[in-house]
mmCIF file of all heavy atoms in Angstrom:
data_model
loop_
_atom_site.group_PDB
_atom_site.id
_atom_site.type_symbol
_atom_site.label_atom_id
_atom_site.label_comp_id
_atom_site.label_asym_id
_atom_site.label_seq_id
_atom_site.Cartn_x
_atom_site.Cartn_y
_atom_site.Cartn_z
ATOM 1 N N ASP A 204 81.832 -90.398 76.003
ATOM 2 C CA ASP A 204 82.572 -90.572 77.245
ATOM 3 C C ASP A 204 83.316 -89.327 77.683
ATOM 4 O O ASP A 204 83.930 -89.307 78.729
ATOM 5 C CB ASP A 204 83.577 -91.717 77.054
ATOM 6 C CG ASP A 204 84.135 -92.185 78.389
ATOM 7 O OD1 ASP A 204 83.321 -92.499 79.266
ATOM 8 O OD2 ASP A 204 85.360 -92.209 78.551
ATOM 9 N N ARG A 268 82.166 -88.727 84.419
ATOM 10 C CA ARG A 268 81.801 -88.972 85.814
ATOM 11 C C ARG A 268 83.007 -88.882 86.733
ATOM 12 O O ARG A 268 82.909 -88.398 87.861
ATOM 13 C CB ARG A 268 81.158 -90.359 85.955
ATOM 14 C CG ARG A 268 79.852 -90.505 85.204
ATOM 15 C CD ARG A 268 79.494 -91.971 85.096
ATOM 16 N NE ARG A 268 80.575 -92.705 84.433
ATOM 17 C CZ ARG A 268 80.729 -94.021 84.482
ATOM 18 N NH1 ARG A 268 79.874 -94.756 85.173
ATOM 19 N NH2 ARG A 268 81.728 -94.602 83.850
ATOM 20 N N ASN A 413 86.489 -96.584 77.090
ATOM 21 C CA ASN A 413 87.443 -95.559 77.514
ATOM 22 C C ASN A 413 87.439 -95.424 79.028
ATOM 23 O O ASN A 413 86.484 -94.937 79.594
ATOM 24 C CB ASN A 413 87.102 -94.213 76.883
ATOM 25 C CG ASN A 413 88.141 -93.169 77.241
ATOM 26 O OD1 ASN A 413 89.331 -93.456 77.267
ATOM 27 N ND2 ASN A 413 87.690 -91.966 77.544
ATOM 28 N N PRO A 414 88.466 -95.887 79.720
ATOM 29 C CA PRO A 414 89.697 -96.392 79.121
ATOM 30 C C PRO A 414 89.643 -97.883 78.790
ATOM 31 O O PRO A 414 89.002 -98.661 79.472
ATOM 32 C CB PRO A 414 90.718 -96.161 80.235
ATOM 33 C CG PRO A 414 89.922 -96.266 81.508
ATOM 34 C CD PRO A 414 88.548 -95.774 81.181
ATOM 35 N N ASP A 427 85.781 -98.968 81.239
ATOM 36 C CA ASP A 427 84.540 -98.196 81.139
ATOM 37 C C ASP A 427 83.984 -98.433 79.753
ATOM 38 O O ASP A 427 84.747 -98.630 78.803
ATOM 39 C CB ASP A 427 84.807 -96.695 81.354
ATOM 40 C CG ASP A 427 83.539 -95.849 81.263
ATOM 41 O OD1 ASP A 427 82.444 -96.412 81.517
ATOM 42 O OD2 ASP A 427 83.634 -94.653 80.955
ATOM 43 N N LYS A 429 80.581 -97.100 77.171
ATOM 44 C CA LYS A 429 79.323 -96.423 76.906
ATOM 45 C C LYS A 429 78.795 -96.954 75.577
ATOM 46 O O LYS A 429 79.570 -97.115 74.625
ATOM 47 C CB LYS A 429 79.546 -94.912 76.769
ATOM 48 C CG LYS A 429 80.287 -94.266 77.927
ATOM 49 C CD LYS A 429 79.341 -93.774 78.993
ATOM 50 C CE LYS A 429 79.967 -92.794 79.963
ATOM 51 N NZ LYS A 429 81.164 -93.209 80.643
HETATM 52 MN MN1 LIG B 128 85.350 -93.336 80.733
#
Side-chain angles (χ1 to χ4, degrees):
D204 194 53
R268 296 165 303 162
N413 184 40
D427 180 25
K429 307 269 196 305

